[in-house]
Amino acid sequence: MAPMGIRLSPLGMAVFCLLGLGVLYHLYSGFLAGRFAFFMLSEPAAGGPETPHGSAPGGAVDLRELLAVSVLAAVRGGEEVKRVREGNVLNAKAKGKTREGAEEQLTTGDLLSNRRMFYLLKGAFPAVQINSEERVDTADQETVSWDRSIPEDIKQKIQPKEVPAESVTVWIDPLDATQEYTEDLRQYVTTMVCVAVNGKPVIGVIHKPFSSYTAWAMVDGGSNVKARSSYNEKIPRIIVSRSHAGKVEQVARQTFGNKTVIIPAGGAGYKVLALLDVPEKNQEEADVYIHVTYIKKWDICAGNAVLRALGGHMTTLTGEEISYTGSDGNEGGLIASINMNHKALIEKLPDLEKTSHK
């Protein structure tokens, strides 16, 4: 009942109710709209689930995009390598020993390059497995974005090609030739990225930080580098690791002849570039690359991919293809060549295989 002397007008009551409904609508409409939008965004699209950045529909990745970001990663890592070396803040320390007993060096350049390369690739292609020479410390995680731009030379030579994300393994070498890096032998230093599909190397990037030269190639795609057109069969040049030159020299001369030239060098990336037509004044030239001991896959995967793309070969010393899945090491040594009879080369090296597992 209304208080004495006050009469409630039906029209006033109706207006009051309408105002109340309006206030309630205003308060809750935004909330309901937000919940509806969240529901719609959370639901899969009609064509399938939402795909992560850097991936194509169906859990696939585009190899052309992966090549572009691999080139960028190698260059960005190289910038860190160069900055640390020129600032002379290497902070070098031993991280362990090789199977031959030599100390392996670790520097600030290795770590900063690794962080930059890993997080750039991981941010662009989160669904892809990435194997790196150096440990990735999650406490040092950084956001390194890719603007999804593809360089014109890659656009012109490479067509888009999608493969399942689960078939892809990326191998990073953030600083190849660390020992030479500490000795300031800059010409040997490279940063490398390799993409393997079902264990086969299909994309290789080799970047030289101190000259800003980058070689890249994609199997059944294209490249920005070429093989050398000729070599001297009578005086073959064999490029080998500086630490293994003595071990290889005697056997190499027995198999290739006394005029064989042995070229000691640092870094697997540098040695592969020696087989190619590279416009670098400090780049030596060789006909065959031989390694006679155990070697890690991130050291050789990029070079293997580049050679395959150009019609060359990199195999174990017994001629077996190297698979870039499973363990991170290659036990069988290696021999690499281009524009040569690779099978005939292998047949000349029966004695070297015995030392490859040491």
Side-chain angles (χ1 to χ4, degrees):
M1 178 180 284
M4 199 73 114
I6 298 177
R7 249 181 216 192
L8 296 177
S9 165
L11 179 60
M13 287 293 293
V15 171
F16 179 79
C17 291
L18 288 173
L19 287 172
L21 289 171
V23 171
L24 290 172
Y25 174 79
H26 177 74
L27 289 172
Y28 285 100
S29 61
F31 171 77
L32 292 172
R35 295 301 298 170
F36 178 74
F38 176 79
F39 172 79
M40 291 300 293
L41 289 171
S42 299
E43 286 295 306
E50 183 182 359
T51 56
H53 178 67
S55 298
V61 296
D62 180 3
L63 290 180
R64 184 171 73 166
E65 289 188 349
L66 192 44
L67 168 60
V69 78
S70 295
V71 170
L72 181 60
V75 171
R76 291 279 179 86
E79 291 170 355
E80 297 297 314
V81 167
K82 184 178 180 181
R83 181 176 63 83
V84 169
R85 178 67 265 184
E86 292 183 343
N88 199 28
V89 286
L90 275 65
N91 297 319
K93 60 182 180 181
K95 68 175 181 180
K97 292 190 175 183
T98 66
R99 292 190 179 185
E100 294 81 32
E103 285 192 346
E104 286 190 284
Q105 296 291 309
L106 178 67
T107 70
T108 302
D110 293 87
L111 297 175
L112 294 180
S113 174
N114 182 68
R115 185 173 70 181
R116 182 60 58 90
M117 294 173 72
F118 179 87
Y119 285 115
L120 176 56
L121 286 157
K122 197 65 178 176
F125 293 91
V128 167
Q129 178 181 338
I130 301 175
N131 296 336
S132 177
E133 177 173 9
E134 306 304 338
R135 180 176 174 270
V136 179
D137 190 345
T138 54
D140 292 333
Q141 182 173 348
E142 66 173 288
T143 301
V144 187
S145 60
W146 176 47
D147 62 7
R148 301 185 65 79
S149 63
I150 299 176
E152 284 302 317
D153 59 340
I154 293 178
K155 277 186 180 179
Q156 292 173 5
K157 296 180 180 181
I158 307 294
Q159 296 298 313
K161 182 178 181 180
E162 293 180 4
V163 296
E166 63 270 18
S167 70
V168 176
T169 305
V170 177
W171 295 84
I172 299 174
D173 193 341
L175 200 171
D176 189 40
T178 300
Q179 180 62 47
E180 286 74 20
Y181 182 65
T182 64
E183 297 172 19
D184 209 14
L185 299 173
R186 304 183 183 194
Q187 72 271 24
Y188 296 129
V189 175
T190 62
T191 57
M192 297 188 285
V193 180
C194 176
V195 176
V197 178
N198 295 321
K200 295 183 178 181
V202 298
I203 290 174
V205 180
I206 305 174
H207 175 67
K208 299 184 76 172
F210 296 102
S211 65
S212 299
Y213 174 76
T214 306
W216 60 260
M218 176 172 157
V219 175
D220 297 328
S223 70
N224 72 339
V225 64
K226 298 179 180 179
R228 289 206 328 278
S229 58
S230 62
Y231 59 92
N232 190 334
E233 292 187 43
K234 295 182 179 179
I235 309 177
R237 293 165 294 182
I238 314 296
I239 195 163
V240 300
S241 294
R242 294 166 71 214
S243 57
H244 303 152
K247 184 181 293 186
V248 177
E249 183 171 2
Q250 184 177 358
V251 177
R253 292 190 188 283
Q254 289 174 352
T255 53
F256 293 105
N258 290 329
K259 292 184 178 181
T260 300
V261 176
I262 304 297
I263 305 172
Y270 178 89
K271 297 184 190 82
V272 168
L273 291 178
L275 306 180
L276 308 177
D277 185 8
V278 174
E280 288 279 288
K281 63 180 181 180
N282 290 328
Q283 178 66 60
E284 295 167 283
E285 296 182 350
D287 304 310
V288 181
Y289 166 27
I290 296 175
H291 188 88
V292 297
T293 62
Y294 174 87
I295 191 168
K296 294 296 183 68
K297 292 178 181 177
W298 42 66
D299 289 319
I300 59 175
C301 186
N304 198 340
V306 171
L307 289 173
R308 285 188 70 222
L310 298 176
H313 302 273
M314 179 184 288
T315 66
T316 67
L317 295 172
T318 56
E320 298 175 358
E321 296 294 333
I322 301 168
S323 174
Y324 294 91
T325 57
S327 69
D328 60 15
N330 170 50
E331 298 278 358
L334 71 85
I335 178 168
S337 69
I338 191 165
N339 289 338
M340 299 184 74
N341 187 332
H342 193 76
K343 185 178 180 181
L345 290 175
I346 293 167
E347 291 173 351
K348 292 182 177 182
L349 299 173
D351 296 329
L352 286 179
E353 197 274 335
K354 297 176 183 178
T355 66
S356 64
H357 299 280
K358 294 181 180 179

